[in-house]
Amino acid sequence: GGVLALALVLRYRPVHYAAQMLPLPAALEYAVSAVTLLQRGVYALKVNHVAYPPEYPFGFPLLLAPFYALFGPLAHNGAWASLFYGLALQAVAMLIARRLFGDGAALLAGIIIATSRQHVVSSQEIMSDATSAMLALVAAYVLLRIAEGDRRYRHAFVAGLLAGLVVCVRLGDVAVAAALGLAVVLAYGSPWRLALRALLTFTLGA
């Protein structure tokens, strides 16, 4: 709890800083497309009643939309989403470290992430980096559960769903989704029919 509180203190910014909408123009595009999706149910950039296709995939604006519903449609309110997903990333990383190596490793992982300048910035600005990494870490946690012996196929499905969402947030993270698919095969192991069934379930989720 203390490490997460430290991370929150390091990442919190007054409203007038968030209102700068950095990094431009990506942050503004994410914000406008998220608000349009929330209010009109359409994924588009609307300027003077004309709809333009956004440059980025729909995943991140979709995850921003609940925060605009909660805090209001002002563009800079998307920064609350980045803060939440950034803290969630840290929490999941600490959980994985604890399951693998114990409390000391979890504390060390939390401190490293909490004080990482790159992670601080990605948790303050309306950008998809922290959100994509958080989703990948949640998928990694699901895979860890499989590796520990819980081989219910719903875990493969959830991992696939998260992998697909990672790509919908950042198209450049296709390699991450592929790595998660390979990890599913390795986690289920032999016999090969079991691994193949798990891979098919993963693909269905994605």
Side-chain angles (χ1 to χ4, degrees):
V3 179
L4 287 173
L6 171 64
L8 177 60
V9 170
L10 293 175
R11 285 155 179 76
Y12 176 76
R13 296 194 308 175
V15 171
H16 65 276
Y17 284 105
Q20 296 178 33
M21 294 299 296
L22 296 175
L24 287 171
L28 187 59
E29 179 173 332
Y30 280 135
V32 172
S33 58
V35 172
T36 303
L37 182 63
L38 176 66
Q39 294 182 340
R40 302 177 182 272
V42 176
Y43 181 55
L45 294 172
K46 288 205 169 184
V47 180
N48 294 329
H49 305 289
V50 179
Y52 299 93
E55 178 182 356
Y56 301 102
F58 69 90
F60 189 47
L62 181 65
L63 295 174
L64 288 176
F67 291 86
Y68 285 112
L70 182 61
F71 294 103
L74 294 178
H76 64 261
N77 282 331
W80 291 110
S82 295
L83 177 62
F84 174 82
Y85 294 128
L87 292 176
L89 181 154
Q90 179 175 335
V92 176
M94 292 176 66
L95 182 60
I96 292 173
R98 177 176 290 112
R99 292 184 76 96
L100 288 174
F101 305 110
D103 291 340
L107 178 62
L108 179 60
I111 292 174
I112 290 173
I113 296 174
T115 57
S116 166
R117 177 59 186 165
Q118 182 177 359
H119 188 265
V120 169
V121 172
S122 66
S123 301
Q124 292 174 328
E125 299 178 349
I126 304 177
M127 51 197 300
S128 61
D129 302 57
T131 303
S132 176
M134 181 272 296
L135 293 169
L137 276 182
V138 174
Y141 176 75
V142 173
L143 293 175
L144 180 60
R145 294 286 304 273
I146 297 170
E148 290 175 341
D150 189 351
R151 295 190 175 186
R152 287 174 289 183
Y153 286 111
R154 70 182 185 190
H155 291 323
F157 180 82
V158 171
L161 188 65
L162 290 165
L165 193 52
V166 165
V167 177
C168 289
V169 169
R170 285 171 58 93
L171 288 177
D173 287 345
V174 172
V176 175
L180 290 171
L182 177 60
V184 164
V185 173
L186 296 176
Y188 278 87
S190 59
W192 67 268
R193 289 185 180 85
L194 185 65
L196 179 59
R197 187 178 300 172
L199 181 60
L200 291 174
T201 306
F202 173 89
T203 305
L204 180 63

